[in-house]
Amino acid sequence: MAALGTMLLGQAAVAQSVDAGPTLASVRAKNYLACSGNVGSAGFGVPDSRGEQQGLDPDICRAVAAAVLGDPAKVRWTVLTSQMRITALQSGEVDMVARTFTWTHAREVAAGLQFGPTVFFDGQGFIVRKAAGVNHASELNGATVCVGAGSTNELNLADWARTNHIQVSPVVFENIEDTRRAYLSGRCDSYTLDASQLAGFLSSLPRGEHMILPEIISKEPLTPAVRKGDAQWYDIMRWTIYALFNAEELGVTQANVDEMLTSTNPDIQRLLGVTGNFGPSMGLDSRWAYNAIKAVGNYGEIFERHLGPNTPLALPRGQNNLWNHGGLIYAPPIR
């Protein structure tokens, strides 16, 4: 991924039409984007042998780094548990959180965060051992359920149990690895988590011994976030993600983005900075979106690379498809 940095346009060019706000100025002064890392969630964020994060969420961070600094390798990862995410962002330890982060009212209003476009529409589910003979969540009455602390999963479990008059005993852990180990050791009858992450967990288990129940008990819009109070940085994060959505819709890929620079399609010209002043209006180079797409590809490419049919998760696009293909992924136009 580091080699891509030398291929990108506009690395040193800084738009002069808009002054850099506090976060953009800080990122440029450090010459890296401080972004959240994950302890380990297959498809969404897993450290490789060099400590580099790999997955959908890290690629969102790389896209922002490429848009701002011209180089997707200029990201410094801070591995965060679910409980640490909010305070790390509030304190300025990280510039952005992209870590299977559910967008909620409390997090946006009371915690002072701002969420960008949802990058994965998810929902909470349950995994059980097949030998237990449980086929539906309604059969978990009296069960012990492993759940992570500091996440929406804990509250969702309590709400679901109360609403459905089901008695469960939560067993709460701060670290996702501790939660998984507890379930595997038999300490819990079930483990509840976002269904996409359960799919990743299931792919690592002995085939045929465990199953994910069909019920989804919550809405989990997984969405990157920044601190409130810096409108420019919020715009940069949000429109970089929208650029990845628009690129997929327009057929602009990591492989053909250079050819697309000569496209006569006005939408593609504006996206890639051939026409318009969209990057400079945010304090960025005109090729901000080009740099992001060249670094990580469009949204569909990111999805296929980490979650698609050739990965252990093999998740269907479903509601995470483009709006014009039956999904919920929708971006405002760049114009």
Side-chain angles (χ1 to χ4, degrees):
M1 193 65 77
L4 286 171
T6 61
M7 300 167 60
L8 306 183
L9 299 182
Q11 290 185 21
V14 177
Q16 300 300 316
S17 57
V18 173
D19 291 335
T23 310
L24 178 58
S26 171
V27 169
R28 284 195 173 129
K30 295 181 298 188
N31 201 31
Y32 66 83
L33 172 71
C35 204
S36 55
N38 203 314
V39 177
S41 179
F44 290 88
V46 177
D48 63 19
S49 60
R50 299 169 297 140
E52 290 291 320
Q53 291 276 319
Q54 305 297 337
L56 183 147
D57 289 330
D59 275 358
I60 297 298
C61 292
R62 290 187 177 96
V64 173
V68 173
L69 299 170
D71 188 344
K74 291 183 177 179
V75 182
R76 184 168 297 180
W77 309 103
T78 299
V79 175
L80 302 172
T81 65
S82 295
Q83 286 185 306
M84 295 164 60
R85 291 175 298 190
I86 293 175
T87 54
L89 189 52
Q90 289 171 329
S91 68
E93 182 180 0
V94 294
D95 304 307
M96 174 180 164
V97 166
R99 187 203 170 284
T100 54
F101 202 18
T102 298
W103 183 0
T104 69
H105 181 282
R107 286 173 173 173
E108 182 157 289
V109 176
L113 310 183
Q114 279 191 297
F115 288 82
T118 297
V119 297
F120 192 90
F121 292 91
D122 210 348
Q124 186 172 333
F126 297 92
I127 191 170
V128 296
R129 298 168 190 82
K130 283 189 176 181
V134 173
N135 295 302
H136 293 281
S138 59
E139 299 168 29
L140 290 173
N141 194 46
T144 53
V145 181
C146 283
V147 63
S151 69
T152 54
N153 301 140
E154 189 176 2
L155 176 61
N156 292 338
L157 177 63
D159 286 349
W160 169 80
R162 183 169 57 250
T163 300
N164 291 278
H165 309 291
I166 293 173
Q167 297 292 322
V168 295
S169 299
V171 184
V172 183
F173 298 88
E174 179 177 351
N175 188 291
I176 191 170
E177 291 303 322
D178 291 338
T179 316
R180 291 173 176 174
R181 279 193 290 267
Y183 168 72
L184 291 174
S185 71
R187 186 170 175 185
C188 306
D189 301 309
S190 178
Y191 173 28
T192 186
L193 187 66
D194 295 350
S196 62
Q197 295 181 66
L198 286 180
F201 180 48
L202 181 64
S203 71
S204 69
L205 301 179
R207 194 175 186 86
E209 293 185 11
H210 303 262
M211 62 182 285
I212 297 173
L213 299 180
E215 289 79 15
I216 297 295
I217 67 170
S218 72
K219 294 186 292 185
E220 303 296 324
L222 305 184
T223 311
V226 296
R227 288 180 295 282
K228 273 186 180 176
D230 190 338
Q232 180 191 54
W233 186 245
Y234 179 54
D235 285 344
I236 289 169
M237 179 269 286
R238 192 166 48 130
W239 281 98
T240 299
I241 296 170
Y242 282 143
L244 303 179
F245 293 173
N246 275 315
E248 182 181 8
E249 187 174 339
L250 293 167
V252 180
T253 69
Q254 189 176 36
N256 72 14
V257 66
D258 288 308
E259 299 170 28
M260 288 292 191
L261 289 169
T262 60
S263 171
T264 58
N265 183 323
D267 288 326
I268 294 175
Q269 290 178 339
R270 288 189 289 266
L271 172 68
L272 300 182
V274 177
T275 61
N277 197 44
F278 304 101
S281 68
M282 299 186 294
L284 303 181
D285 182 76
S286 62
R287 296 290 174 85
W288 61 285
Y290 165 93
N291 286 344
I293 298 161
K294 186 73 173 179
V296 299
N298 63 42
Y299 174 77
E301 291 179 283
I302 296 171
F303 188 101
E304 292 300 304
R305 185 160 59 243
H306 300 297
L307 308 173
N310 295 319
T311 70
L313 274 71
L315 297 179
R317 284 291 294 267
Q319 58 193 353
N320 293 295
N321 216 329
L322 293 176
W323 66 278
N324 53 0
H325 287 81
L328 299 175
I329 298 297
Y330 184 100
I334 297 175
R335 63 170 179 258

